[in-house]
Amino acid sequence: MKFEGEHLLPGQIGHFFVLLAFVASLVSTIAYFKASKTEDPLQKNSWLRYARGAFFTQVISVFTIFGIIFFICSNHYFEYFYAYKHASKELESKYLLACIWEGQEGSFLLWTIWHSVLGIILIFRSKKWEAPVMTVISFAQVFLALMLLGIYFFGVRVGSNPFVLTRNELEGPIFSQPNYLSFIKDGVGLNVLLRNYWMVIHPPVLFLGFASTIVPLSFAYAGLTTKKFGEWVKPALPWALVSGCVLGVGIMMGGKWAYESLSFGGYWAWDPVENASLVPWLILIAGLHCMAIYNATGNSLKAAFVFIILANAFVLYSTFLTRTGILGDTSVHSFTEAGMAMNILIGLFALAIPIPMFILFFKNYKQMPSVYKEENISSREFWMFIGSLIIFLSALFIIAVTSVPVYNKIFNTNIADPQNREFTYNKVMVLVAVIIGILTAASQYFKYKHTDKKYFLKKIAIPFAVALTITILLAVFYPIEYIKQGAGFLGAIYLAIFAAIFSALANATYIWSVLKGNFKAGGAAIAHTGFALMIVGMLISSGNKKVISDNRKTGLYISFAQDPKGRNSEDPLENLTLIKMVPTRMAEYVVTYTGDSSAIKEKNRSFYKLMVEKKDLSNGKVLENFELTPDVYKMKDNNLSSNPDIKHYLFHDVFTYISSLSDRSSVVDTAQFKLHEIKLGDSIFYSKGYMVLNDILKNPDNKRFHFKPTDTALVADITVFSRDSTSYKAYPVLSINNFEINYKDDTVFAQNLYLKLVGITQQNKFKIAVKESDIPADFLTLKAYVFPYINLVWLGLIIMAAGFIVSIIRRAKVKPLFAAAALIAVTAGLFYMFLLAN
């Protein structure tokens, strides 16, 4: 059967390049491996030429595959299952990229693209290390290409081809018809939670961070296979810094996305996906510090090997967790079962590099150089290693709790996920923050080998005293209000705040008092300062996060359904009910729900307009006013997916999202208008009170109406008095235009009243029509938080990234002019992105 309207050529070309990428990466791996094992210069160069040619062929292939997928999605070729599943005509153009890496195939493709970019740089920069280093990267490319093959071996499909056709993947009567494409009007489209500015840039940065962990690992492999056990550290150190910087920034970009797009009220929830990205970063940071120790003293080489191998191993393990569906309902993220064959392939990928690396490591363990002299307790390297060990143990704790579903699956156990997940992690990590804060503050003032006690105490005394003073002042004048977990945990929060402030002050002071303002040598101190500020911001913004949507005063109680995953459902008392056009007090603000509008392109998405005024309570003067527009997607099962809106201030954020909406679709309005003839000053009674006709305005020109003197318009000035002594204004309009009479009703939403000025009688009475609607008034419920000092989190991230960049420039020996330009460009870019999001 010949199917009408199909564009098969792009898919055929794309599948050819998938096969070419797999073959080329396999050839590149073999050639690089042979080159690394060959001593003869001529043969080595011959193998290197083959390897480079194959690798560049693979690079061209993966970029071509990406370009074809983008072409298919942007042209809405829904005959391809990938385009049907992830793209739609309503998507804004900027989200066409995001819909590519939403899918499993696209995310693996993004990963292999970053490996390709890193490989190109290493070919030109790694010199004598090229062959063994590129062996590992090419080997990883083989597995990533396998993920995209989608070919059958003995009836089992290996990988998932992004160019499969929709008619081959879905069942239905339309697919037996040659014109089936005419029945497919649109694709499924990008997940509504991912339609955010940050999802265009967060995944590429995060995957660059994941991909980059293979570079220091490749140098470690090169050190083991060439028996140059310590020489690999120096060329690998800048790459480890790059990986630490990019992965750290990528993780926090995910936090920023969660803060702006998810309605759980924050930027971190210890979700398994968040943990799966954090753990490799923590282990990498531990390895980075051990590499710095070895570079300075010759100690901690074996620990550096272990941590660098494990950092990449846990990147692969996180892939296994997030791509196989094994986490099930333990995550708020949406996972799909990849299929048994794909799960096995991902599992093999997670083991294929770490296991051989550890075999090589233990095989060469005794030959590795070691410093047998005990480290001095007053030396920098001793405390750096202790800090690395603490970070590593904290990472193991996080992944151990996260992996509970894995234990249950493998060992057929029934271990329950922690009932209070956040506190399970927080009670341990707050103590880790105390230790790491103190260590990062003090260790900078230790010297390698040995430190004079008087020198150390003299340097550390002032930052310690100032940090202690600031913490005491905070406790007195701005106390932490989070007492939910008792006095013990509150005390731990104060200790962590002190440690983080101490670290920030000590590292900032170190640049001036020890380095004499030499910022080029102060990369570590800058990064520590930024990290400490992040921790301070996290502790204060979370500890003093306050719900300001108090519903106790409205008298309207809205019940919420239980969360299907068993987590805490919404508390009605913390969700403010807003009736349309009725101003409602919310803390120091007055909020009015003024209306809503549908998105121009995106179906089932609506924006809700909330006018917010901040008034001086003493005189009623408006201090500021602004508009918030949180939006809601109505899902197919009629559940709501809410996207928050945030009012940013310098020292706090007001975070709002819609938790429920009134449903008027199933109610039929049977009420009718009742006509009343009254004079000025007369009253009309209705079931909940009465109303008074104050005046009839002729062609009014004011804030609400803009009639000209030559117009013919009458406006009834009516005051409605309810039983609870609340009054409302209403202004129905009667106008004549081109000899046609036009009526414009006015509505008192809080009373479900519709008022209409119908005309004038011969007795100079005015005809007012009143309808009491049977349909409940439009309302919504709003959840609102105040996050104090949250900008410290984002500022700290930018400073930490700047510190990493300074260290990279110094270690990589980049030329000063280029280094300065790179530092300014990257820091400004980060600042701009966060400013744009704010």
Side-chain angles (χ1 to χ4, degrees), residues 290-307:
C290 288
M291 291 169 72
I293 292 170
Y294 176 79
N295 214 35
T297 68
N299 290 311
S300 300
L301 177 62
K302 293 173 182 176
F305 269 112
V306 171
F307 291 152

Side-chain angles (χ1 to χ4, degrees), residues 302-322:
K302 293 173 182 176
F305 269 112
V306 171
F307 291 152
I308 290 302
I309 295 170
L310 286 177
N312 183 258
F314 276 103
V315 165
L316 300 176
Y317 180 62
S318 73
T319 304
F320 173 76
L321 287 179
T322 57

Side-chain angles (χ1 to χ4, degrees), residues 13-283:
I13 296 172
H15 195 216
F16 166 77
F17 277 104
V18 169
L19 292 168
L20 182 61
F22 172 70
V23 173
S25 58
L26 190 59
V27 171
S28 177
T29 303
I30 295 169
Y32 269 124
F33 181 75
K34 293 290 287 184
S36 67
K37 295 298 180 183
T38 303
E39 297 294 335
D40 182 78
L42 291 176
Q43 286 189 7
K44 191 181 193 73
N45 286 332
S46 178
W47 281 116
L48 282 173
R49 283 195 296 272
Y50 279 120
R52 289 167 186 162
F55 188 82
F56 280 111
T57 300
Q58 178 266 152
V59 170
I60 293 169
S61 299
V62 297
F63 275 97
T64 304
I65 295 164
F66 187 88
I68 292 172
I69 292 177
F70 181 78
F71 174 79
I72 287 171
C73 290
S74 61
N75 284 281
H76 307 118
Y77 289 168
F78 296 132
E79 57 266 42
Y80 293 98
F81 188 57
Y82 201 83
Y84 172 75
K85 191 176 178 182
H86 301 290
S88 62
K89 295 176 182 178
E90 67 181 10
L91 280 183
E92 297 178 49
S93 56
K94 65 183 178 183
Y95 294 137
L96 285 172
L97 284 172
C99 81
I100 294 176
W101 45 71
E102 179 195 31
Q104 186 158 249
E105 301 89 339
S107 60
F108 282 126
L109 181 61
L110 183 59
W111 196 342
T112 196
I113 282 174
W114 282 128
H115 274 177
S116 299
V117 172
L118 294 169
I120 292 170
I121 297 170
L122 286 164
I123 286 172
F124 291 102
R125 295 272 301 176
S126 56
K127 298 178 182 176
K128 66 177 183 179
W129 299 98
E130 180 188 346
V133 165
M134 290 301 298
T135 299
V136 177
I137 291 174
S138 297
F139 183 59
Q141 294 293 75
V142 172
F143 272 92
L144 289 170
L146 267 174
M147 303 293 181
L148 303 177
L149 271 184
I151 59 177
Y152 285 86
F153 285 103
F154 303 105
V156 177
R157 187 165 72 176
V158 177
S160 181
N161 181 6
F163 301 107
V164 294
L165 297 174
T166 305
R167 56 181 163 87
N168 294 334
E169 297 297 310
L170 297 179
E171 294 182 1
I174 67 166
F175 297 111
S176 62
Q177 301 182 43
N179 63 335
Y180 78 92
L181 278 175
S182 64
F183 298 100
I184 302 177
K185 302 301 182 184
D186 203 357
V188 175
L190 186 66
N191 186 310
V192 295
L193 294 176
L194 305 182
R195 300 181 189 188
N196 178 274
Y197 167 83
W198 285 105
M199 288 313 294
V200 180
I201 57 174
H202 157 58
V205 174
L206 187 65
F207 271 90
L208 174 57
F210 285 155
S212 64
T213 61
I214 203 171
V215 181
L217 175 83
S218 301
F219 277 101
Y221 166 81
L224 289 170
T225 55
T226 61
K227 308 297 182 182
K228 297 175 181 177
F229 300 114
E231 291 182 34
W232 67 275
V233 172
K234 191 172 182 178
L237 193 52
W239 286 103
L241 287 163
V242 168
S243 188
C245 178
V246 176
L247 186 53
V249 169
I251 291 167
M252 288 309 295
M253 281 182 172
K256 188 69 171 173
W257 160 71
Y259 183 62
E260 294 189 357
S261 290
L262 301 181
S263 58
F264 64 73
Y267 44 85
W268 195 264
W270 294 110
D271 188 85
V273 169
E274 297 168 340
N275 297 346
S277 60
L278 176 64
V279 166
W281 184 76
L282 290 173
I283 298 175

Side-chain angles (χ1 to χ4, degrees), residues 17 25 35 52 129-130 208 210 229 232 288 357 384 388 399 408 448 491 536 547 549 709 737 741 754 772 817 826:
F17 277 104
S25 58
R52 289 167 186 162
W129 299 98
E130 180 188 346
L208 174 57
F210 285 155
F229 300 114
W232 67 275
L288 182 59
M357 282 295 297
M384 283 177 67
S388 299
I399 204 65
N408 290 337
Y448 287 111
V536 173
V547 177
S549 48
N737 188 15
I741 300 177
Y754 292 82
E772 294 187 64
L817 187 61
V826 174

